Amino acid sequence: MAEELRTLVERLKAVSHPLRLRVLSLLEPGELCNCQIAETLQVPASSVSEALRELRRAGFVTERKDGRWVFMSLVSRELAAPFLQGLLEEAAALPELQQDRARAQAVKALAIPVVCSKVQRDAPTEREATHV
Amino acid sequence: MAEELRTLVERLKAVSHPLRLRVLSLLEPGELCNCQIAETLQVPASSVSEALRELRRAGFVTERKDGRWVFMSLVSRELAAPFLQGLLEEAAALPELQQDRARAQAVKALAIPVVCSKVQRDAPTEREATHV
DNA sequence: AGTATATATCGGAAATTATCGAAACATCAT
DNA sequence: ATGATGTTTCGATAATTTCCGATATATACT
């Protein structure tokens, strides 16, 4: 298979996943660190980290380290894939993702250490019937 | 998971696949029947049929039956997902997909029965190392 | 140094997807 | 009706993906 086709497919796969799409959409208004995302989405921090790794691999996200924290943000529109623009608009219209953003705002209002020390504790453990 | 998020993810998954993306891109200039696609891409007809089923399920493709043949075409831009426009542009720029289109033109120049009677015979049998 | 905390990676079980030949189904041609 | 041909579905196997707890790594604080 041609390299370029493979790459495009990999980038599409990266966003074809509920958690990764939620994370992507969450980052649109601005950067967030791993634990802010984990707290916002009520998902284990390791899952968020893996989601971010895929989004980074696909070239949609960049990181900025600041001490203990790694703040992730979307790459510029110019660097992103052409299909991303339409996708983000489509995503922003979804009720659940709007809810996510509202939660993120509340989380951002708190100091980061306060948010993050909660994450380890109250991550959900029950597995859903279908993949999240 | 919210229904709408799930739907969007399903639509993204539908195009996150080399064969399905090739088929999608192949249909952009105009309708083709299953066997024309199979011949163009040198892929078993059943694989093409399955790819088309997914693209139909995702709402990207519609069918028009004409006797033995089922011609598939892209749905109108208005009905398609917002991200599809950018994706098709991105796809059209890929060398391999341009090659596919050139082959499709050659195939279209032949009478359909001539094309299709070949398909059953010379489909490739060797499995590639990675998924196609 | 030692502890706490944020992030990344690993391991591995479970679910999902991919693939294609075989068989079924639908329509045409004689 | 019979056979030929285009399309779809089925069956089964292999490959991949998902998910999260456990572990590892990195930085901060005291």
Side-chain angles (χ1 to χ4, degrees):
Chain A
M1 181 165 54
E3 192 53 43
E4 286 171 287
L5 174 58
R6 182 197 312 278
T7 301
L8 177 54
V9 168
E10 290 309 315
R11 287 151 73 85
L12 284 165
K13 274 193 199 170
V15 295
S16 303
H17 182 286
L19 178 59
R20 294 196 293 265
L21 193 53
R22 289 174 82 189
V23 171
L24 191 77
S25 170
L26 216 50
L27 290 176
E28 214 201 347
E31 65 179 15
L32 292 171
C33 73
N34 200 304
C35 68
Q36 289 177 312
I37 299 172
E39 170 63 16
T40 298
L41 302 182
Q42 295 286 293
V43 157
S46 69
S47 297
V48 172
S49 180
E50 277 164 348
L52 286 167
R53 172 172 37 148
E54 289 307 304
L55 292 173
R56 239 182 288 125
R57 268 179 18 102
F60 294 132
V61 157
T62 51
E63 64 182 45
R64 172 180 75 82
K65 292 190 81 166
D66 180 6
R68 256 178 294 193
W69 296 285
V70 179
F71 289 92
M72 314 296 303
S73 52
L74 296 193
V75 303
S76 68
R77 287 287 153 72
E78 297 80 46
L79 294 176
F83 72 80
L84 192 64
Q85 176 67 34
L87 178 58
L88 284 173
E89 283 166 22
E90 199 161 348
L94 301 188
E96 178 165 36
L97 301 190
Q98 290 172 350
Q99 253 179 280
D100 285 349
R101 289 196 188 185
R103 284 188 61 95
Q105 277 208 312
V107 167
K108 260 206 268 196
L110 305 172
I112 290 186
V114 176
V115 171
C116 293
S117 48
K118 286 177 59 181
V119 173
Q120 307 293 345
R121 281 202 289 284
D122 61 18
T125 47
E126 260 183 68
R127 197 143 182 167
E128 283 187 19
T130 59
H131 277 187
V132 181
Chain B
M1 182 165 54
E3 192 52 45
E4 286 170 290
L5 174 58
R6 183 198 310 280
T7 302
L8 177 54
V9 168
E10 290 310 314
R11 286 149 74 86
L12 283 165
K13 275 193 198 169
V15 296
S16 303
H17 183 286
L19 178 58
R20 292 197 294 264
L21 194 52
R22 290 174 81 189
V23 170
L24 190 77
S25 169
L26 215 51
L27 289 177
E28 213 200 347
E31 66 178 17
L32 292 170
C33 72
N34 199 303
C35 69
Q36 288 177 313
I37 299 172
E39 170 63 17
T40 299
L41 303 181
Q42 295 287 294
V43 156
S46 69
S47 297
V48 172
S49 180
E50 277 162 349
L52 286 167
R53 172 171 33 141
E54 290 306 304
L55 292 173
R56 240 182 287 124
R57 268 182 14 106
F60 294 131
V61 157
T62 50
E63 64 181 48
R64 174 179 74 82
K65 294 190 80 166
D66 180 5
R68 256 177 295 193
W69 296 287
V70 178
F71 289 92
M72 314 296 303
S73 53
L74 297 193
V75 302
S76 69
R77 287 286 152 76
E78 297 80 47
L79 293 178
F83 72 81
L84 192 64
Q85 176 68 34
L87 178 58
L88 284 173
E89 283 166 20
E90 200 161 348
L94 300 187
E96 179 167 33
L97 301 191
Q98 291 173 348
Q99 253 178 280
D100 285 349
R101 289 196 188 186
R103 283 188 61 95
Q105 277 207 311
V107 166
K108 261 206 268 197
L110 306 171
I112 290 188
V114 175
V115 171
C116 294
S117 49
K118 286 176 61 181
V119 173
Q120 307 293 346
R121 280 201 289 284
D122 60 17
T125 46
E126 259 183 72
R127 196 144 183 167
E128 283 188 19
T130 59
H131 277 187
V132 179

